[in-house]
């Protein structure tokens, strides 16, 4: 990434509420660490026998301790020792744990297993017990406490790193690097560690706060900082002895420990966002340019189950907001079978997710109007009406069938319970009644032995069964519209036919409309009566299936999609029509597409002529 892009990320991260709070907190801690002992050092060690255990006053904001020393000055002075010890122990535990945990992913398996066995053995003991035992072994004092807490942190961080590294080490790009002969150090530093940095950075910040608390605990027990040095933990030890005389003597160092731990957590989150570990974007919404809608459509149409007007969707990028869907408008009539086709990334699924109000932050959705089943559900940049009413309408009258049902179904829940969920959430049914209805719906979508299947988990069903279970979930209400987002992409042709047959049967029995998303022109033309073609976030053509099959498409992109579908008569010597990577269809692109399509047609005509001449001869 360029220096400008990295600067922009840091600026964006620091300008968020979390970043500003972290920046302010770190400035305070840095001030106390550097200048605290300079400003308050002498006051913190000056005893006053005439002012023993005094309560808070203008002269002493937190009172004095048993030796007459100012508690506020001692708290400010102790920040340097407390923070530096926590950072030192955290660095030791985090770096050592990350290295130890990542080694098994690149070392020979026996050695890796031996390292993990040692880590698991250490994790069997509570961290506090390890800390206390090691502090006794290393001896009382600052150095012994740092080593004790650092080594106690190491096993947990090594276990986390090994788990994350194992999830990355089995991926194809790591295998390819191994084949290319990348060294173990290269695998570790270039391919594994950068891909697991996200949780490591966040946990490192939490670890620093935990180390601060651990040091306070050791010093409170008398195993950490010794006289005449003092940190927040030792101040707690001394303050608790006089807590009934002056509670502020224990309250001041306690607040310091808690606030410092929070600051470390905020700093870790900000660093993660700024380095790309956790993406963060400006809270300012994009100013989308007004776009012309895809077609001039009336706002009201009583025969339409779905009306979308001026839908725009933007996603945050590195430096600016990118428009994914631009001014899309369309209607779906009641009982109509409509197909939405286009190449991957054209905005098909995003459009339907926005209609179902499933497009979450950081996506920004705006629309002139979205009406469903006679009710406006979205206007401007927010749902129209109460969210509860809109949720109930979508939960009972809209059914979604996703591309991968394995990721849509909860693997830890039984299929029947998930199918029954809309019944008792929106249908007013008891759990027992919803369960029985779910079994009937599973049978309705041609799942054999629905009672047994309802008690199984998703992994026990085939891909086609899971897809039909998703359809059954939508039938728990009375759907007026079924949105099928590439429901047959991950299935073989036999199962594809079964799923399409079920969808068609449901359409005939319930009269519900179907909006099917696909990039397979054969599936769309065989199932739908009308086809909308989407390209680069816009609907470029709305055509009936008959006209599409007859070759009456007007837009060159639609013609290219049809031309890119191979047939048994396709001439192999002629290049397939392609779409150039341009924003708009210009004259050269139109000419290129038309030329390639004409060449294919001419080649087919020449082949037919040769065959006719041969037959005549």
């Amino acid at each position: 990434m360029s220096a400008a892009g990295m600067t922009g990320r840091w600026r964006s991260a620091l300008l968020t509420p979390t970043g500003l709070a972290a920046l302010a907190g770190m400035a305070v801690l840095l001030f106390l660490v550097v200048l605290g002992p300079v400003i308050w050092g002498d006051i913190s060690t000056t005893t006053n026998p005439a002012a023993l255990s005094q309560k808070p006053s203008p002269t002493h904001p937190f009172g004095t301790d048993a030796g007459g020393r100012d508690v506020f000055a001692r708290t400010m002075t102790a920040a340097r020792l407390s923070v530096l010890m926590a950072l030192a122990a955290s660095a030791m535990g985090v770096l050592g744990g990350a290295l130890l945990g990542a080694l098994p992913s690149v070392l020979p398996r026996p050695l890796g297993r031996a390292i993990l066995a040692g880590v698991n053995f250490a994790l069997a003991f509570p961290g506090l017990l390890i800390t206390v035992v090691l502090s006794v072994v290393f001896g009382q004092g600052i150095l012994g406490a740092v080593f004790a807490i650092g080594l106690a942190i190491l096993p947990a961080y090594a276990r986390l790193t090994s788990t994350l590294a194992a999830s990355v080490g089995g991926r194809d790009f790591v295998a390819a690097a191994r084949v290319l002969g990348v060294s173990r150090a290269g695998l570790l530093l270039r391919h594994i560690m950068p891909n697991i940095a996200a949780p490591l950075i966040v946990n490192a910040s939490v670890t620093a706060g935990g180390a601060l608390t651990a040091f306070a605990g050791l010093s409170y027990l008398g195993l950490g900082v010794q006289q005449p040095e003092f940190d927040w933990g030792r101040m707690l030890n001394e303050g608790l002895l006089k807590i009934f005389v002056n509670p502020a003597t224990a309250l001041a160092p306690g607040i310091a420990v808690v606030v410092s731990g929070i600051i470390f957590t905020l700093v870790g989150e900000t660093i993660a966002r700024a380095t790309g570990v956790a993406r963060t974007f400006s809270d300012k919404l994009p100013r989308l340019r007004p776009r012309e809608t895809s077609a001039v459509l009336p706002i009201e149409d009583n025969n339409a189950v779905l009306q979308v007007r001026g839908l725009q969707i933007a996603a945050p990028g590195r430096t600016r907001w990118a428009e994914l869907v631009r001014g899309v408008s369309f209607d779906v009539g009641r009982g109509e079978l409509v197909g939405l086709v286009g190449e991957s990334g054209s905005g098909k699924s995003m459009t339907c997710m926005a209609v179902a109000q499933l497009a979450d932050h950081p996506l920004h959705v705006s629309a002139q109007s979205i009406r469903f089943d006679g009710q406006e559900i979205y206007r401007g940049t927010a749902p129209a009406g109460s969210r509860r009413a809109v949720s109930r309408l979508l939960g009972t009258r809209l059914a979604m069938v996703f591309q991968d049902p394995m990721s849509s179904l909860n693997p830890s829940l039984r299929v029947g319970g998930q199918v029954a969920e809309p019944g008792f959430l929106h249908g007013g049914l008891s759990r027992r009644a919803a369960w029985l209805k779910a079994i009937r719906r599973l049978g309705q979508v041609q799942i054999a032995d629905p009672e047994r299947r309802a008690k199984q988990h998703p992994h026990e069903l085939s891909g086609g069964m899971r897809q039909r279970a998703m359809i059954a979930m939508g039938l728990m209400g009375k759907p007026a519209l079924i949105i099928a987002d590439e429901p047959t992409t991950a299935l073989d042709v036999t199962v594809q036919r079964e799923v399409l047959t079920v969808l068609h049967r449901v359409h005939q029995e319930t009269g519900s409309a179907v909006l099917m998303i696909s990039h397979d022109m054969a599936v769309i033309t065989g199932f739908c009566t009308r086809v909308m073609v989407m390209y680069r976030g816009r609907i470029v053509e709305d055509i009936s299936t008959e006209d599409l099959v007859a070759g009456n498409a007007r837009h060159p992109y639609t013609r290219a999609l049809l031309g890119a579908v191979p047939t048994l008569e396709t001439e192999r010597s002629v290049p397939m029509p392609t779409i150039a990577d341009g924003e708009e269809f210009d004259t050269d692109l139109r000419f290129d597409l038309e030329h390639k399509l004409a060449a294919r047609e001419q080649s087919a005509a020449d082949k037919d002529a040769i065959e006719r001449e041969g037959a005549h001869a």
Side-chain angles (χ1 to χ4, degrees):
M1 180 185 294
S2 64
M6 182 62 69
T7 302
R9 277 193 176 184
W10 274 101
R11 185 183 298 111
S12 299
L14 291 175
L15 290 179
T16 61
T18 301
L20 292 175
L23 194 62
M26 280 305 297
V28 172
L29 280 183
L30 183 62
F31 173 81
L32 294 178
V33 169
V34 176
L35 298 178
V38 177
I39 298 174
W40 293 284
D42 293 338
I43 303 175
S44 66
T45 57
T46 302
T47 61
N48 185 2
L52 302 179
S53 300
Q54 288 187 348
K55 294 184 178 181
S57 65
T59 306
H60 305 289
F62 287 98
T64 60
D65 62 6
R69 294 165 295 195
D70 186 272
V71 175
F72 175 78
R74 288 175 66 81
T75 303
M76 299 298 102
T77 304
R80 173 183 290 183
L81 188 58
S82 300
V83 172
L84 291 182
M85 287 194 306
L87 292 178
S90 299
M92 177 181 174
V94 168
L95 295 178
L99 178 61
L100 189 64
L103 285 178
S105 62
V106 294
L107 292 178
R109 182 167 296 182
L111 186 57
R113 286 181 175 178
I115 293 176
L116 288 180
V119 170
N120 293 333
F121 178 79
L123 284 175
F125 299 93
L128 179 60
L129 178 61
I130 295 177
T131 303
V132 172
V133 171
L134 290 177
S135 64
V136 173
V137 172
F138 291 119
Q140 298 175 341
I142 296 175
L143 191 61
V146 169
F147 276 101
I149 294 177
L151 292 177
I153 291 172
L154 192 147
Y157 217 81
R159 178 73 260 186
L160 173 64
T161 305
S162 66
T163 301
L164 296 173
S167 66
V168 175
R171 295 185 181 179
D172 293 339
F173 65 87
V174 176
R178 292 179 185 273
V179 173
L180 293 175
V182 177
S183 65
R184 292 175 179 174
L187 287 174
L188 190 62
L189 298 178
R190 296 184 58 186
H191 295 279
I192 295 178
M193 296 304 294
N195 285 286
I196 62 175
L200 296 185
I201 291 178
V202 175
N203 277 273
S205 62
V206 178
T207 299
L212 193 67
T213 306
F215 269 110
L218 281 183
S219 297
Y220 173 77
L221 295 174
L223 297 174
V225 177
Q226 304 296 314
Q227 292 284 10
E229 301 288 343
F230 59 93
D231 67 341
W232 289 330
R234 186 158 191 85
M235 290 183 62
L236 276 171
N237 187 341
E238 297 170 353
L240 287 175
L241 298 176
K242 298 291 184 179
I243 191 170
F244 295 107
V245 178
N246 180 15
T249 56
L251 186 62
I255 292 176
V257 172
V258 172
V259 172
S260 299
I262 294 175
I263 291 173
F264 282 131
T265 301
L266 295 178
V267 169
E269 181 68 19
T270 303
I271 294 175
R273 295 188 177 202
T275 54
V277 172
R279 298 292 300 276
T280 183
F281 310 99
S282 173
D283 292 334
K284 183 178 179 182
L285 295 179
R287 295 181 179 179
L288 300 181
R289 294 173 294 172
R291 299 263 182 184
E292 295 183 358
T293 56
S294 305
V296 180
L297 300 174
I299 296 298
E300 296 290 343
D301 184 0
N302 294 329
N303 191 43
V305 68
L306 176 64
Q307 296 175 304
V308 178
R309 299 291 180 269
L311 176 64
Q312 299 185 77
I313 304 176
R318 293 181 177 177
T319 58
R320 64 184 180 88
W321 288 76
E323 297 179 54
L324 306 179
V325 176
R326 303 179 287 177
V328 166
S329 297
F330 63 91
D331 286 350
V332 176
R334 294 187 181 275
E336 191 177 14
L337 298 173
V338 181
L340 185 59
V341 299
E343 61 191 10
S344 297
S346 59
K348 309 183 300 298
S349 298
M350 196 66 64
T351 296
C352 293
M353 294 292 280
V355 168
Q357 299 195 8
L358 297 176
D360 296 327
H361 180 81
L363 295 178
H364 172 57
V365 180
S366 65
Q368 297 174 9
S369 176
I370 299 178
R371 298 182 64 86
F372 172 65
D373 201 24
Q375 178 178 331
E376 188 173 46
I377 62 174
Y378 205 90
R379 176 177 289 275
T381 60
S386 68
R387 292 182 178 271
R388 184 178 182 86
V390 172
S391 177
R392 180 177 178 83
L393 176 66
L394 295 176
T396 56
R397 300 289 288 167
L398 177 68
M400 289 286 295
V401 182
F402 297 99
Q403 178 177 353
D404 184 8
M406 193 61 196
S407 61
S408 303
L409 295 173
N410 191 327
S412 63
L413 300 179
R414 300 183 188 276
V415 173
Q418 298 183 67
V419 175
E421 192 171 19
F424 61 79
L425 285 181
H426 301 291
L429 301 177
S430 65
R431 292 185 178 271
R432 176 62 180 172
W435 176 270
L436 295 177
K437 185 176 181 179
I439 293 176
R440 293 196 298 270
R441 291 293 181 260
L442 290 173
Q444 185 178 349
V445 295
Q446 306 302 309
I447 292 182
D449 197 2
E451 293 185 5
R452 182 172 66 90
R453 296 298 185 184
K455 298 177 182 179
Q456 294 180 327
H457 290 82
H459 70 272
E460 299 179 82
L461 273 61
S462 65
M465 286 184 178
R466 290 194 294 265
Q467 200 65 284
R468 280 177 278 179
M470 288 293 298
I471 299 174
M473 188 183 301
L475 295 179
M476 287 297 292
K478 296 180 180 179
L481 174 65
I482 300 175
I483 297 179
D485 187 1
E486 301 191 30
T488 61
T489 299
L491 307 175
D492 59 69
V493 291
T494 304
V495 180
Q496 284 185 20
R497 181 179 179 85
E498 294 176 357
V499 172
L500 292 176
T501 301
V502 169
L503 278 174
H504 193 267
R505 181 181 295 110
V506 169
H507 160 71
Q508 290 180 325
E509 294 176 354
T510 63
S512 58
V514 179
L515 176 59
M516 177 172 287
I517 304 171
S518 180
H519 57 263
D520 191 334
M521 293 294 288
V523 171
I524 291 295
T525 55
F527 184 84
C528 301
T529 58
R530 181 164 66 92
V531 179
M532 297 183 296
V533 182
M534 201 164 187
Y535 176 66
R536 290 190 178 273
R538 292 180 297 171
I539 294 179
V540 297
E541 187 153 15
D542 191 339
I543 186 174
S544 68
T545 303
E546 293 181 357
D547 289 340
L548 182 66
V549 174
N552 297 328
R554 295 183 178 182
H555 200 278
Y557 178 69
T558 309
R559 298 180 61 194
L561 287 179
L562 290 172
V565 178
T567 64
L568 295 177
E569 290 78 22
T570 299
E571 179 60 40
R572 297 183 178 180
S573 61
V574 179
M576 302 290 286
T578 57
I579 300 295
D581 188 17
E583 180 70 16
E584 305 290 346
F585 284 89
D586 53 21
T587 303
D588 295 336
L589 179 56
R590 288 177 182 271
F591 176 80
D592 179 65
L593 290 171
E594 293 174 357
H595 177 73
K596 289 183 178 180
L597 290 170
R600 288 190 61 187
E601 294 172 357
Q602 183 63 41
S603 176
D606 294 344
K607 184 176 180 180
D608 291 342
I610 293 174
E611 291 177 353
R612 287 196 299 270
E613 290 179 2
H616 180 72

